[in-house]
Amino acid sequence: MTASDFPISSGWCRKCQTQHQLGPEAAITSARELMAELANTQRIDYLTGNSTADPQFSTAYLESEALGQMFGVLAGEDAQGRIVVLRAFSCQYNAHWQVEGWAPPLFDVAEYERIMVPGDRRIKALGRDIEDGRGDVIRLKQERRLLSRSLMKQLHDLYEVVGFSGETRPLASFFEHTNGIPTGAGDCCAPKLLNQAIRQNLRPLGLAEFYWGRTNRSGTRQQGHFYGSCADKCQPMLGFMLCGAAHE
Ligand SMILES: [Zn+2]
Ligand SMILES: [Zn+2]
């Protein structure tokens, strides 16, 4: 595989009416280093300076029923011309949104939990009532559906999608012409890495995403392989995020 065969992160920009993209080449070496770190340390909390490994952050999790997941690296340049490498895991790692040394999500985690925890509790309680046949099951199911829809809406409203242009847009604005916001939109490595690069004023040089852990059920994801940005969740917002990045 030559460098030019690596998949590119890209997306359509409505403003410029063109495709903006970020190649992986400048991030491949760092991505391979991250793979080696994962293989050698068998944990993802090795960046904390804490020598004691927390079992929650062991890479054994990626070999479990939970299966592997995507990891990503962004190489950027700061105002002083220094190279900065950012790392991300997709979605949550073993139910954690934030792990020291890794790109944070696109929302405030405390706010997210404040909405998610009680909402999830109510949905689960309704689920138990439905299972036990307590009350009008059709009405309960409808209540649960409405509740979970409103919970998702509140959570999605917390996402702030920023661009190198300095603009910010709500997550929902990227999916107006599709059948709602796809599950996990905004939680992939590419948006997390670009979000952090923008907030740290880095000029992006390269972005690479790879899979690590047990092969997924359909066999389309294999450990150590590089993959491009996903079409349904990421590409609709990557054009906006990359717009204005100086690498173009
Ligand atoms: Zn994605
Ligand atoms: Zn643009």
Side-chain angles (χ1 to χ4, degrees):
M1 197 186 237
T2 63
S4 59
D5 292 332
F6 290 115
I8 287 168
S9 306
S10 65
W12 181 256
C13 176
R14 283 187 231 168
K15 198 165 77 183
C16 305
Q17 288 291 301
T18 184
Q19 193 89 5
H20 294 312
Q21 60 182 46
L22 181 59
E25 288 82 2
I28 293 292
T29 305
S30 302
R32 295 226 187 273
E33 279 166 15
L34 174 53
M35 290 183 203
E37 285 161 8
L38 293 172
N40 295 335
T41 64
Q42 302 277 305
R43 55 193 275 223
I44 70 153
D45 61 344
Y46 60 91
L47 299 159
T48 59
N50 188 346
S51 59
T52 334
D54 182 333
Q56 294 184 92
F57 301 121
S58 159
T59 55
Y61 164 68
L62 301 171
E63 299 300 331
S64 69
E65 280 303 306
L67 304 175
Q69 67 192 65
M70 293 296 293
F71 286 81
V73 165
L74 181 143
E77 193 179 43
D78 71 9
Q80 285 75 45
R82 287 178 299 224
I83 300 295
V84 179
V85 174
L86 306 179
R87 299 168 175 83
F89 51 81
S90 61
C91 303
Q92 291 180 300
Y93 193 89
N94 204 0
H96 291 270
W97 284 111
Q98 252 166 337
V99 180
E100 204 182 326
W102 298 84
L106 273 60
F107 50 81
D108 183 295
V109 176
E111 274 290 292
Y112 187 96
E113 300 294 346
R114 197 182 57 76
I115 295 169
M116 180 66 185
V117 172
D120 192 49
R121 198 180 297 137
R122 282 176 64 201
I123 288 168
K124 282 190 178 132
L126 279 170
R128 282 192 297 273
D129 287 349
I130 292 164
E131 240 167 69
D132 300 346
R134 265 197 298 267
D136 180 346
V137 170
I138 292 170
R139 195 191 54 78
L140 287 171
K141 279 189 174 166
Q142 191 188 11
E143 193 182 334
R144 183 173 62 173
R145 195 161 48 238
L146 292 175
L147 195 64
S148 99
R149 202 177 298 161
S150 107
L151 181 63
M152 283 317 293
K153 162 114 182 45
Q154 287 181 68
L155 295 175
H156 283 148
D157 285 348
L158 296 177
Y159 284 68
E160 266 190 16
V161 185
V162 291
F164 283 98
S165 64
E167 287 175 59
T168 300
R169 277 175 53 176
L171 186 64
S173 71
F174 299 98
F175 302 98
E176 279 163 355
H177 306 292
T178 62
N179 194 18
I181 303 175
T183 306
D187 298 332
C188 284
C189 297
K192 284 190 192 182
L193 291 167
L194 292 173
N195 171 64
Q196 196 184 14
I198 291 160
R199 292 176 193 274
Q200 291 187 13
N201 271 321
L202 301 179
R203 191 171 76 89
L205 303 172
L207 192 160
E209 292 177 273
F210 64 89
Y211 187 82
W212 200 256
R214 186 160 148 187
T215 305
N216 68 344
R217 286 183 186 87
S218 54
T220 52
R221 293 271 193 258
Q222 288 178 25
Q223 175 156 305
H225 286 220
F226 288 96
Y227 297 94
S229 50
C230 55
D232 56 336
K233 293 177 282 184
C234 288
Q235 284 172 16
M237 68 181 83
L238 291 188
F240 165 79
M241 293 189 88
L242 286 167
C243 186
H247 69 277
E248 294 177 288

